[in-house]
Amino acid sequence: MKNKTSSLPQEGEARPSRCPDNSAFKQQKLPAWKPQLTIAAVLSSFFLTGVFCLSVGVCLIMSANSVREIQIDYSDKCSDCSKLRENSSNWNKECHCSVNFMLKEDILGDVFMYYGLQNFYQNHRRYVISRSDAQLLGRNVNIQKSYCAPFTTYRNGTPMAPCGAIANSMFNDTIDLFYNLNSSVIQVPLLKTGNSWWTDKNVKFRNPKSYNLSSAFAGTARPPYWQKPVYLLDEEDERNNGYVNDDFIIWMRVSAFATFRNLYRRVRRIRQFADGLPAGNYTFHISYNFPVTKFKGRKHVILSTVVWSGGSNPFLGIAYVVSGTAATLTEDI
């Protein structure tokens, strides 16, 4: 039998070393820059950082304040429609309301129309994951294995397209803008495409392949709270229909806060509106479909311009000013 101790080092033999090689790299002796921090250098760094943050913050706040914006809450002004929509049995009944407002000054440049929701929590964990990305890519998948439950199939087994709580709760009010010029009423031309992110439109969303959309979605049904199937979201433009509809894509990008706004339309700059929206009297014609009373929510429609720093949101500028002030005060202390 082989001696078990034969592999052990014998007396007088050197044990194998586990130390790293005696090289500059393994011994951590490579040349390195080790700055000598002096009081003058540290205070100068804090001062320059503070000045930079304060300058950027002031520019951002001034930029945000230059945005022209008008926001109208139509929750109470469409109260009759709101009461009608609270009864789910009236889902197929149309209800319209109008909201008048006046622009005292011209809104020049590109004008964007947003819809805003208040007290609508899209950040709940189960709500956020209630979707099937594979289905939205146009693949034939078993949505029963997705996170869409309970909005997956109907009792007869017909799958929902699209599935999930996010899609089922899609904002579906229709908002049109009219310009009241003297005794005539002119509809403001609005662009309903080109409003979503390029990556969403061209990468994350695809329609099933077929010779037409109705056949592509054959054997599926609309979500319970929808008034029409997904292949009828935009019958006028096939490139904006089905899963690649801009309104649907924008809604599927959920918000982190309970109060948020989503881009709805852009004013097409032609004829009287080539330079933007002229001052005068306007009217929003709203087809009211999205109920908010049960969760004590509010609905707004917003007209706004944008600047190089974005929309009318001073948060980033305030954050820079606070950071710059803190750095400057630290330098003084």
Side-chain angles (χ1 to χ4, degrees):
M1 176 179 288
K2 185 177 181 180
N3 190 351
K4 295 182 179 180
T5 61
S6 60
S7 60
L8 297 176
Q10 302 299 320
E11 185 177 353
E13 293 183 6
R15 291 179 176 271
S17 175
R18 301 183 63 183
C19 296
D21 296 337
N22 189 22
S23 62
F25 177 76
K26 293 188 176 181
Q27 296 296 331
Q28 299 183 12
K29 294 181 179 179
L30 291 175
W33 179 58
K34 299 178 181 179
Q36 300 297 323
L37 298 178
T38 62
I39 295 177
V42 172
L43 294 181
S44 300
S45 300
F46 273 104
F47 177 75
L48 293 175
T49 302
V51 170
F52 172 78
C53 290
L54 285 172
S55 302
V56 174
V58 170
C59 291
L60 289 173
I61 291 176
M62 292 178 62
S63 176
N65 290 337
S66 67
V67 173
R68 294 290 312 281
E69 179 176 299
I70 179 171
Q71 179 171 307
I72 297 174
D73 186 330
Y74 65 94
S75 305
D76 296 331
K77 297 179 181 180
C78 297
S79 57
D80 292 339
C81 291
S82 178
K83 294 177 183 178
L84 179 72
R85 283 288 171 258
E86 292 307 320
N87 187 346
S88 59
S89 62
N90 297 325
W91 67 271
N92 59 344
K93 296 181 180 179
E94 294 186 0
C95 190
H96 303 271
C97 60
S98 298
V99 180
N100 299 317
F101 67 98
M102 182 180 67
L103 289 182
K104 296 181 180 180
E105 299 178 357
D106 297 346
I107 300 182
L108 301 177
D110 294 328
V111 182
F112 300 82
M113 181 189 295
Y114 302 84
Y115 62 84
L117 291 177
Q118 183 177 337
N119 206 37
F120 189 93
Y121 290 84
Q122 287 189 311
N123 56 1
H124 191 279
R125 179 180 61 84
R126 291 191 62 187
Y127 182 90
V128 170
I129 65 175
S130 184
R131 58 188 290 166
S132 172
D133 291 324
Q135 184 193 47
L136 298 176
L137 282 171
R139 299 172 184 170
N140 186 14
V141 295
N142 183 7
I143 59 175
Q144 294 281 15
K145 298 180 180 180
S146 67
Y147 293 103
C148 287
F151 302 102
T152 52
T153 60
Y154 287 93
R155 292 181 179 179
N156 61 2
T158 304
M160 299 180 190
C163 70
I166 306 177
N168 184 58
S169 60
M170 177 182 168
F171 182 86
N172 57 349
D173 283 1
T174 302
I175 306 171
D176 293 313
L177 179 60
F178 291 86
Y179 176 44
N180 305 314
L181 180 62
N182 299 326
S183 58
S184 60
V185 178
I186 303 171
Q187 183 171 5
V188 179
L190 302 174
L191 297 171
K192 57 185 176 181
T193 58
N195 300 324
S196 60
W197 291 16
W198 186 92
T199 51
D200 288 349
K201 184 84 170 181
N202 297 277
V203 178
K204 296 183 178 180
F205 292 82
R206 289 282 190 276
N207 283 323
K209 294 182 179 180
S210 183
Y211 62 92
N212 60 47
L213 277 183
S214 60
S215 63
F217 289 98
T220 64
R222 59 175 177 81
Y225 290 169
W226 284 30
Q227 294 179 320
K228 52 187 176 182
V230 65
Y231 56 85
L232 295 180
L233 289 179
D234 189 353
E235 300 179 70
E236 299 176 357
D237 187 357
E238 187 174 348
R239 295 171 299 178
N240 190 45
N241 205 358
Y243 292 153
V244 295
N245 177 262
D246 270 31
D247 293 336
F248 174 69
I249 292 174
I250 291 172
W251 177 260
M252 293 299 291
R253 184 174 285 276
V254 297
S255 172
F257 301 100
T259 298
F260 61 93
R261 63 176 63 177
N262 283 335
L263 181 59
Y264 182 67
R265 297 289 185 266
R266 291 175 294 130
V267 174
R268 187 180 180 188
R269 298 176 63 176
I270 57 173
R271 300 191 296 274
Q272 296 97 329
F273 313 101
D275 298 324
L277 291 179
N281 296 316
Y282 289 83
T283 302
F284 283 121
H285 285 185
I286 301 168
S287 177
Y288 197 106
N289 300 305
F290 193 85
V292 295
T293 305
K294 286 187 177 180
F295 58 88
K296 298 179 182 179
R298 311 288 297 179
K299 293 194 293 188
H300 306 83
V301 58
I302 303 108
L303 294 174
S304 176
T305 59
V306 295
V307 291
W308 62 270
S309 60
S312 178
N313 188 352
F315 173 78
L316 186 60
I318 294 174
Y320 267 100
V321 169
V322 171
S323 301
T325 303
T328 304
L329 293 178
T330 303
E331 182 265 340
D332 291 337
I333 294 174

